Amino acid sequence: VGDREVIGLLFRRLLDPMYQNGALLDGFPRTKVQVECLKLLHEKMLQLQREYAHSARALSFRRPTFHIVMLFVEEREAINRQLKRGREILAHNNEVRQTGIGELLEERATDLSEETARKRYQVFKEKTFDALQSLREVYHYHFINAHGTLSEVQQRILQEFHYQSALELDPETFEAIKNIPLASELTSHARQELVRRLDSYENSDPVLLGQVVSFIERKMMPIILRHAMSGQANINSEDSILSQHGAIAMLIDVLSERGFHTVVDIHRIEIPARFDLATGEITCREKKVYRLIVRFKGSEIRRG
């Protein structure tokens, strides 16, 4: 199919609203003409993004992000895969013809002959590969080793396309949020930080640490044990130990070390303490209720 037909068909399809958030194109671009048309599309989208950047229609003209992906195998591997596909299709079609069950699959000439398979690979290297190489300086370019099993190649693709906000967000958006740390950064050294904090509790305030551990053992563990099947225990407490400075942090860290995930919320309740009969004024005292949610891996019952 000629470049004009390919480009016309493709660009018309991309106008369909179903592709407003993006599209994955397999086997495009294949030629230098298609590469240049892709560049023109990208430039036009950038022009529209700049034109409408500060208007009410800005979200309809977002900054385009193009990724070029090359799944590469060497010539011998490519030929072997094509011939294997050809053998499998021939066997399938023979069975369909004999039984009348199923649908015939396309028998590609390049899958049935080693010579034509090799010629197809050479055309790819001489035309498509060179055309795509020229896009390295323009777009995000991903060169992925496609040797190996399907699952191995899938993992390489997933790793390569791990979300990278700096590449995909508008620069202004990224600049606005970049100081918020990534969750992965917070957790990368979480275990070492937990160990450091627990040791510091023992060194700086062993009395409070002992009281917190005692509270967990006496007041919390009996309730947690009763919820061993569900893997979540909700505990309300007014114990004064939790009001001491640093006690809640110690409690969360101790339970984390033991494999529990704990969330603590403080609920403040106004309780009437005195009523002035002359003025009608009500004086209240504040009562703190500590709501603790403890999650862990529950038990699974295997039923016959």
Side-chain angles (χ1 to χ4, degrees), residues 54-71:
H54 302 291
S55 72
R57 302 184 65 189
L59 288 178
S60 297
F61 296 95
R62 292 169 294 178
R63 183 172 67 96
T65 303
F66 286 15
H67 292 265
I68 304 300
V69 188
M70 173 74 74
L71 297 176

Side-chain angles (χ1 to χ4, degrees), residues 29 50 62 79 124-125 132 166 178 218 226 251 293:
R50 290 191 295 268
R62 292 169 294 178
I79 292 172
F124 161 76
K125 282 192 66 176
L132 291 176
K178 69 177 184 179
R218 293 182 297 104
R226 288 200 295 270
L251 180 141
I293 301 175

Side-chain angles (χ1 to χ4, degrees), residues 23-31 34-39 41-42 65-72 124 128-144 157 160-161 167:
L24 177 64
L25 309 179
D26 179 22
F28 179 88
R30 286 184 182 272
T31 67
Q34 293 175 16
V35 163
E36 293 307 313
C37 288
L38 185 66
K39 291 179 181 178
L41 172 64
H42 185 251
T65 303
F66 286 15
H67 292 265
I68 304 300
V69 188
M70 173 74 74
L71 297 176
F72 184 82
F124 161 76
T128 304
F129 185 76
D130 289 344
L132 291 176
Q133 289 292 94
S134 68
L135 294 175
R136 280 181 176 272
E137 305 301 322
V138 184
Y139 307 119
H140 307 306
Y141 192 92
H142 309 270
F143 189 90
I144 298 174
I157 295 171
E160 183 71 20
F161 275 85
L167 297 181

Side-chain angles (χ1 to χ4, degrees), residues 51-209:
E51 181 179 338
Y52 291 96
H54 302 291
S55 72
R57 302 184 65 189
L59 288 178
S60 297
F61 296 95
R62 292 169 294 178
R63 183 172 67 96
T65 303
F66 286 15
H67 292 265
I68 304 300
V69 188
M70 173 74 74
L71 297 176
F72 184 82
V73 293
E74 294 175 350
E75 181 177 3
R76 184 69 258 171
E77 178 67 14
I79 292 172
N80 289 339
R81 290 185 183 184
Q82 290 179 73
L83 296 178
K84 178 176 182 293
R85 179 172 60 189
R87 291 193 298 270
E88 291 174 347
I89 289 176
L90 285 178
H92 169 83
N93 287 348
N94 287 336
E95 185 175 345
V96 171
R97 293 186 182 100
Q98 292 175 6
T99 64
I101 300 173
E103 297 183 1
L104 293 173
L105 301 177
E106 178 188 3
E107 297 178 6
R108 303 182 184 183
T110 52
D111 290 351
L112 305 178
S113 162
E114 181 171 340
E115 181 180 350
T116 54
R118 179 174 288 106
K119 182 178 179 181
R120 181 171 184 252
Y121 188 87
Q122 291 301 322
V123 170
F124 161 76
K125 282 192 66 176
E126 294 169 5
K127 294 185 178 181
T128 304
F129 185 76
D130 289 344
L132 291 176
Q133 289 292 94
S134 68
L135 294 175
R136 280 181 176 272
E137 305 301 322
V138 184
Y139 307 119
H140 307 306
Y141 192 92
H142 309 270
F143 189 90
I144 298 174
N145 178 6
H147 283 272
T149 65
L150 180 61
S151 61
E152 289 172 343
V153 178
Q154 285 176 331
Q155 285 304 311
R156 292 178 196 141
I157 295 171
L158 290 173
Q159 183 176 358
E160 183 71 20
F161 275 85
H162 188 74
Y163 175 67
Q164 299 178 63
S165 55
L167 297 181
E168 302 189 23
L169 292 174
D170 280 335
E172 295 82 2
T173 306
F174 179 73
E175 189 67 25
I177 67 174
K178 69 177 184 179
N179 290 329
I180 305 299
L182 296 173
S184 57
E185 294 175 352
L186 295 179
T187 59
S188 60
H189 301 292
R191 186 174 65 179
Q192 292 90 332
E193 290 296 319
L194 174 64
V195 170
R196 183 189 59 78
R197 289 196 303 270
L198 286 170
D199 286 342
S200 70
Y201 298 150
E202 177 61 34
N203 292 327
S204 63
D205 200 343
V207 175
L208 180 59
L209 178 60

